[in-house]
Amino acid sequence: MSGTTIIVTSGIIRNHENKVLLVKRAPNDSFPNKWQFPGGKGEYGEHPEESLKREILEETGLTITPLFPIVINQFKSSTKEIQYIEIFYLVDLVSQNQIVELSSEHTDFSWIDIDEVTNFDTTEYIQAVVAKAKSFPFFSSK
């Protein structure tokens, strides 16, 4: 069997108010203007948690602590022999007073309750991730 596997890591970053960070993709990027959790592709030999820290720092300027994976998905490219394994981690901020500084990959951000993700223009994929994430007690309704 041939093909390539790419590891992608994304962070469901929560702040001290238990709000999560969504970022909006740039209009010239894949999934233009869609909201998502920050993250990206790992580099060869890079541990997924190190990839997550690097990608979130590059995209948002935030330093984070990955806690543990809460959703793992697999999907295949429809045009190439590539499969993606995406690991969504629950993530805490290293310090709460950090300022979000977006890279050119994103145009906006919002700290929201996880239940509010449905109010944002995301992909169905992100909605499915949120549904799984909400099954964990740290996102249960108050």
Side-chain angles (χ1 to χ4, degrees):
M1 185 176 287
S2 64
T4 302
T5 299
I6 296 174
I7 305 294
V8 178
T9 55
S10 294
I12 301 175
I13 305 170
R14 64 180 184 170
N15 66 15
H16 66 285
E17 297 174 325
N18 210 32
K19 294 194 181 285
V20 298
L21 180 66
L22 281 185
V23 293
K24 186 176 181 182
R25 293 181 74 93
N28 58 343
D29 208 345
S30 57
F31 304 105
N33 300 311
K34 295 288 186 183
W35 290 83
Q36 66 177 63
F37 296 108
K41 297 175 189 169
E43 296 174 357
Y44 179 78
E46 186 176 44
H47 188 281
E49 289 184 8
E50 292 306 313
S51 167
L52 180 66
K53 289 178 186 178
R54 177 185 51 75
E55 283 288 342
I56 288 178
L57 183 62
E58 289 173 2
E59 291 184 2
T60 67
L62 299 173
T63 54
I64 54 98
T65 300
L67 300 177
F68 48 85
I70 59 174
V71 178
I72 300 173
N73 285 326
Q74 179 265 350
F75 55 96
K76 295 177 185 169
S77 169
S78 59
T79 58
K80 303 174 187 170
E81 287 191 23
I82 299 175
Q83 78 165 344
Y84 297 89
I85 305 296
E86 186 163 12
I87 307 168
F88 287 84
Y89 282 85
L90 178 65
V91 172
D92 278 345
L93 296 168
V94 168
S95 65
Q96 293 297 326
N97 59 350
Q98 299 180 68
I99 305 291
V100 175
E101 297 176 11
L102 294 177
S103 72
S104 61
E105 295 178 43
H106 299 95
T107 60
D108 201 2
F109 72 93
S110 187
W111 289 101
I112 61 170
D113 289 326
I114 199 160
D115 291 332
E116 296 175 306
V117 172
T118 57
N119 300 332
F120 287 76
D121 184 16
T122 68
T123 62
E124 288 181 25
Y125 177 72
I126 292 297
Q127 295 296 332
V129 167
V130 168
K132 288 180 184 178
K134 285 172 50 176
S135 70
F136 286 84
F138 39 76
F139 289 126
S140 63
S141 299
K142 298 169 183 101

